[in-house]
Amino acid sequence: MRNAVYLLSIAVIALGLYSYEVRTENKQLERTVHAQYTNALTSASETLTTLQTSVNQSLLFQDKSALNKELDNIWRLSDQLRSSISGLPLNREVANNWMKYIGKIGDEAKLVAQTGDYNSWHDKMGVVAGNLKNLSNEWEVATSRYFENDGDFSKWQRTIDSDTEQENFGKIAQNLKSYSETDFPLTASESDWLKKRELKNLEDKEITKEQAIDKLELLIPNIKDASYTVTKSKDTAPYPFYHIQFVKGSRMGYADITVKGGHILSFLSERPVQEDKNMTQQDIKELTNKFMENAGYDDAKIVEFRENHEVYHISAARVYDNAFVYPDGLQFKVSKYSGELLGFNAMEYVQKETIKEQPVNPVDWKQFFRPGTIVEEVKMIYTENELFELRLCYQVIARFDSEFNETFRVVVDAETHDVIKVEYMQ
Amino acid sequence: MARSILITLILVLGIASSIDQTKEVHAFSGRLLERGSSGDDVIELQARLQWVGFYNGKIDGIFGYGTYWALRNFQQQYGLDIDGVLGPNTRNTLVKSSQFHRDWVHQQIAKGNQFTHYGNTPLAQQTKAGAGTNGGTGQKNASTVQLPVKYSERDLQLMANAVYGESRGEPYEGQVAVAAVILNRLESPDFPNTISEIIFQPGAFTAVADGQIWLTPNERAKQAVLDAMNGWDPTENALYYFNPATATSKWIWSRPQIKQIGEHIFCY
């Protein structure tokens, strides 16, 4: 009996010590995180004040160089503030609305610095400066309790967990949403881009779910007579579609098919073991081309081809007037061993871009690039610029004439010669 | 007697040299290699091109532009058709003009060593032990993953951790969907600009809050991320998802819903 009491006492003491140690460790961690959050909040608040001052200062100048300096400052500060906000434990709605609004200011500054349209900046920013001042004041009130020296860590957790209307940031969230809509309305190109993404211009006749399955089986005969589970998209989805899940032997996967017109948006199949048919890359390319032809994607061509562990990932794009239209892209996933089509994605291709005429001005690449740069390939492509406008561009593959042959993909607007994109190619 | 010894010797030498040549010629698996290829054949191609001084990049098994220009330069130098493709003619010429120390090269890769395979320097002097395993400047292990140019292997790893932590019990489609939501956020102005910031945004993912993001992801989670990076989006552009059985936020229920996959509802 005495021994049992003795052992029990030791166990209780050990447990107590362990519990004390865990509590101390937790407290230390809380203090570290508390300090980091407070620091991030201080930094965000200070950056917001500086950004607000900078937007005001930009309204002072007509001088191009003084204004450009301020625009550069605003773009940098907006990026910094977005990063600070993203690190704060804010309610999701507040954080998202902040990032959008601040990002819009930065994007606008960057754009005006490029285009030199200073009048539009002055017109727009008069209102934005006032709204930013209001937001800054509201932010100061909402965040004041986080600077109290009460050492209470739980207030951060409460902010993440609570819905906006229940906490101090409610007014900021509301204002940010309405300011974003009024201060930065959608441009025509943004609206077109959104319409394409939400398949707004799809006018085809509606099909039934049985017709959707027939369409799928016609294109992918491997899954004929599979067992299917078909559900319709939720009522709030931007476009209605059938979500078809299938199982056939070891194959299982899904396909999304639009209700209007029965366009296959995407298809993905899993089949763990593939028969080795000794396929070559050429075979895979031929199979992909044949599939594109059968599926009615006969105006598309393969643009990229990547061999991965067990599959090839292949990208294709529509070709219009000898130029690749990258926003009308298609993706394929094909088994390396059997050549079976394991997936394809036609989301971007379903609603094709409307292509407008655009002048093409020749470029002297010797003048465009520094000496020592070799232009290996020039192709015409259509791609979107930062304003979501579809532009006809030169796609140049250029490399340094050096030991490592560093290679770049440079996209240059065919009319204005603006550089739209530069990518380092591995 | 002497004549028969001589004939035998010539025959033996002839057979030996033909065996050796056959071995060299068939060193590769025989498949055609071009930009976009990957695997052991590409490791051999890079190592052989480096042996004869045409390739100075990493021997990583990925046939990218570095390998492409090196191969074209080799073809030009040796009077072959210049197409940047390793077909039978180029393969034979390359095998005859170079050496490939297969075991040594694969050993270096397996150890994560930083190494080169030049023909004019003893191999022992061309390796730094274990430099690559610390994630520093060394040679990485050979990769069998080729990503679209805008993503890095670090992105793949981080996303695989998030997908595995968030949705390992979900069907494959559901795992691709979680990866697609992360990538949709990357394109959205409402979210941070990097994959890391998106994943670690406070409160954004349950797996970060409960530590499950640090579990080692399986191959399936990595494949799901790879498919999402290559364009698949089973969510049809969703920015959020939640489990209706456990979600308590009124706000998340107010979002326009798109579809349900497994236990998750995906929404804008």
Side-chain angles (χ1 to χ4, degrees):
Chain A
M1 180 66 184
R2 190 186 288 173
N3 282 350
V5 170
Y6 181 66
L7 283 173
L8 202 65
S9 310
I10 289 176
V12 167
I13 291 168
L15 209 64
L17 280 172
Y18 175 72
S19 158
Y20 175 75
E21 204 171 305
V22 169
R23 266 180 65 85
T24 313
E25 210 170 273
N26 281 348
K27 206 74 205 162
Q28 269 176 355
L29 282 172
E30 268 186 12
R31 275 198 286 265
T32 309
V33 176
H34 192 159
Q36 279 179 359
Y37 281 166
T38 309
N39 183 31
L41 186 65
T42 311
S43 157
S45 304
E46 280 171 5
T47 314
L48 177 61
T49 311
T50 319
L51 177 68
Q52 190 211 326
T53 313
S54 209
V55 169
N56 268 322
Q57 279 171 200
S58 74
L59 297 173
L60 267 178
F61 303 114
Q62 276 201 84
D63 178 77
K64 197 179 158 187
S65 115
L67 186 51
N68 271 343
K69 196 177 163 195
E70 215 56 68
L71 291 174
D72 185 53
N73 214 16
I74 289 167
W75 174 75
R76 193 176 44 77
L77 286 166
S78 96
D79 197 48
Q80 204 177 315
L81 184 53
R82 285 186 94 246
S83 185
S84 299
I85 298 277
S86 78
L88 280 171
L90 292 170
N91 165 284
R92 262 189 279 185
E93 190 179 10
V94 180
N96 292 357
N97 289 345
W98 254 131
M99 277 190 272
K100 183 187 235 165
Y101 191 69
I102 298 299
K104 288 273 183 193
I105 296 173
D107 289 348
E108 194 74 25
K110 192 178 166 193
L111 184 72
V112 171
Q114 281 167 5
T115 60
D117 187 3
Y118 303 119
N119 287 337
S120 89
W121 173 263
H122 286 138
D123 290 345
K124 209 173 255 185
M125 288 302 136
V127 182
V128 171
N131 290 342
L132 207 50
K133 190 172 174 16
N134 288 343
L135 288 168
S136 190
N137 291 340
E138 284 161 10
W139 177 256
E140 204 176 314
V141 174
T143 56
S144 60
R145 66 180 163 141
Y146 296 94
F147 293 110
E148 285 168 9
N149 297 323
D150 56 4
D152 177 17
F153 177 72
S154 65
K155 60 192 170 192
W156 294 107
Q157 198 54 47
R158 285 199 301 273
T159 311
I160 293 189
D161 293 341
S162 66
D163 284 321
T164 43
E165 64 263 31
Q166 293 168 343
E167 43 99 9
N168 296 359
F169 293 98
K171 200 171 177 200
I172 295 183
Q174 241 176 15
N175 284 345
L176 277 166
K177 201 174 173 192
S178 72
Y179 292 161
S180 287
E181 283 161 12
T182 53
D183 296 355
F184 301 102
L186 283 184
T187 62
S189 322
E190 282 171 331
S191 170
D192 284 348
W193 178 82
L194 211 60
K195 274 183 193 160
K196 173 172 170 148
R197 209 169 100 120
E198 297 184 347
L199 302 178
K200 291 287 186 212
N201 298 334
L202 222 54
E203 301 288 344
D204 304 309
K205 206 179 140 196
E206 292 197 358
I207 62 161
T208 62
K209 68 177 183 183
E210 288 75 21
Q211 287 171 318
I213 290 173
D214 288 346
K215 182 133 195 180
L216 185 64
E217 287 188 342
L218 192 69
L219 213 53
I220 321 279
N222 283 338
I223 59 162
K224 197 165 171 50
D225 301 325
S227 30
Y228 296 104
T229 309
V230 185
T231 48
K232 211 172 165 187
S233 53
K234 303 273 183 185
D235 293 341
T236 41
Y239 47 88
F241 61 90
Y242 295 112
H243 177 217
I244 303 173
Q245 289 170 296
F246 61 84
V247 179
K248 187 184 177 186
S250 62
R251 282 189 192 92
M252 57 193 299
Y254 86 97
D256 282 348
I257 301 185
T258 59
V259 172
K260 284 184 184 173
H263 301 281
I264 301 182
L265 298 171
S266 67
F267 158 80
L268 204 52
S269 163
E270 245 195 316
R271 193 185 176 205
V273 183
Q274 292 284 338
E275 187 190 345
D276 194 349
K277 292 184 181 168
N278 212 7
M279 306 294 288
T280 65
Q281 275 162 309
Q282 278 355 80
D283 297 334
I284 302 284
K285 280 182 185 172
E286 276 165 30
L287 281 170
T288 310
N289 283 327
K290 203 170 166 192
F291 175 81
M292 287 201 286
E293 206 182 307
N294 290 342
Y297 310 140
D298 40 10
D299 56 353
K301 275 189 181 167
I302 293 175
V303 285
E304 219 176 341
F305 183 86
R306 282 186 292 273
E307 180 180 358
N308 280 314
H309 182 43
E310 288 176 336
V311 298
Y312 287 102
H313 282 106
I314 300 162
S315 303
R318 180 160 76 98
V319 179
Y320 174 83
D321 205 11
N322 291 323
F324 285 104
V325 188
Y326 281 164
D328 293 342
L330 291 157
Q331 292 83 33
F332 302 93
K333 179 183 175 182
V334 184
S335 163
K336 250 165 93 165
Y337 304 110
S338 67
E340 180 177 333
L341 184 78
L342 296 173
F344 76 90
N345 181 40
M347 176 70 208
E348 295 168 318
Y349 182 89
V350 167
Q351 194 172 299
K352 293 175 190 172
E353 293 281 346
T354 311
I355 293 173
K356 295 174 192 157
E357 287 297 311
Q358 183 196 309
V360 174
N361 298 321
V363 183
D364 180 356
W365 300 116
K366 280 189 180 158
Q367 292 296 317
F368 194 86
F369 293 110
R370 284 189 63 231
T373 308
I374 302 170
V375 172
E376 291 285 355
E377 185 188 292
V378 182
K379 267 184 192 166
M380 299 310 290
I381 63 158
Y382 283 93
T383 192
E384 280 154 352
N385 63 11
E386 282 186 334
L387 299 171
F388 296 94
E389 294 164 340
L390 189 71
R391 302 291 298 168
L392 178 58
C393 300
Y394 296 105
Q395 175 184 271
V396 184
I397 299 295
R399 70 174 165 115
F400 292 143
D401 187 13
S402 67
E403 190 186 358
F404 292 100
N405 290 309
E406 288 94 341
T407 307
F408 301 86
R409 173 178 169 262
V410 186
V411 177
V412 182
D413 190 297
E415 183 185 358
T416 62
H417 297 175
D418 287 341
V419 175
I420 290 181
K421 196 179 278 181
V422 183
E423 283 172 345
Y424 177 67
M425 309 298 282
Q426 295 288 343
Chain B
M1 178 66 183
R3 187 193 282 178
S4 64
I5 289 172
L6 190 67
I7 289 169
T8 313
L9 197 67
I10 289 168
L11 272 173
V12 167
L13 281 173
I15 290 165
S17 76
S18 92
I19 286 169
D20 187 43
Q21 203 170 26
T22 310
K23 191 182 160 198
E24 284 288 297
V25 172
H26 294 289
F28 289 96
S29 72
R31 69 184 180 124
L32 194 128
L33 297 179
E34 60 187 322
R35 205 151 42 76
S37 301
S38 69
D40 286 356
D41 278 344
V42 180
I43 290 177
E44 179 167 355
L45 169 66
Q46 291 170 328
R48 284 184 181 276
L49 284 170
Q50 197 160 82
W51 186 266
V52 283
F54 284 89
Y55 180 68
N56 299 307
K58 278 182 188 170
I59 297 171
D60 58 2
I62 301 285
F63 196 139
Y65 270 103
T67 314
Y68 176 74
W69 301 127
L71 186 58
R72 284 177 65 108
N73 290 342
F74 175 83
Q75 289 173 324
Q76 188 181 21
Q77 188 86 13
Y78 281 79
L80 300 157
D81 288 343
I82 305 167
D83 56 4
V85 175
L86 187 81
N89 284 345
T90 306
R91 187 165 56 230
N92 287 347
T93 312
L94 181 61
V95 168
K96 281 176 191 163
S97 56
S98 66
Q99 286 183 30
F100 174 50
H101 298 86
R102 186 187 165 80
D103 291 345
W104 185 84
V105 167
H106 282 272
Q107 216 171 37
Q108 305 311 310
I109 290 170
K111 285 180 182 169
N113 288 351
Q114 186 180 21
F115 74 99
T116 53
H117 185 258
Y118 290 104
N120 54 7
T121 313
L123 290 178
Q125 291 174 20
Q126 297 190 61
T127 177
K128 283 185 195 168
T133 50
N134 298 326
T137 53
Q139 170 94 27
K140 286 193 311 177
N141 286 347
S143 178
T144 49
V145 177
Q146 293 195 75
L147 303 170
V149 72
K150 58 181 170 179
Y151 304 115
S152 68
E153 287 204 32
R154 207 183 299 268
D155 293 334
L156 174 75
Q157 183 61 44
L158 202 50
M159 281 181 67
N161 274 58
V163 166
Y164 188 71
E166 286 278 311
S167 60
R168 62 185 173 280
E170 293 292 307
Y172 185 68
E173 179 194 357
Q175 297 191 19
V176 180
V178 168
V181 165
I182 296 172
L183 297 180
N184 289 340
R185 289 186 181 187
L186 194 61
E187 301 294 317
S188 165
D190 300 8
F191 290 90
N193 293 334
T194 66
I195 285 171
S196 168
E197 281 181 324
I198 286 167
I199 290 173
F200 293 112
Q201 192 179 2
F205 291 98
T206 320
V208 175
D210 63 17
Q212 296 200 43
I213 193 167
W214 305 118
L215 297 172
T216 307
N218 59 10
E219 199 53 40
R220 202 160 177 247
K222 285 182 189 167
Q223 291 304 319
V225 175
L226 194 56
D227 282 342
M229 284 178 164
N230 275 288
W232 275 266
D233 179 6
T235 74
E236 308 295 331
N237 303 319
L239 289 173
Y240 305 95
Y241 61 88
F242 64 97
N243 184 335
T246 55
T248 52
S249 160
K250 270 200 284 180
W251 177 79
I252 196 74
W253 278 101
S254 73
R255 308 303 304 169
Q257 297 178 6
I258 304 167
K259 77 194 262 200
Q260 178 155 5
I261 306 170
E263 298 293 319
H264 290 140
I265 292 179
F266 291 83
C267 47
Y268 286 116

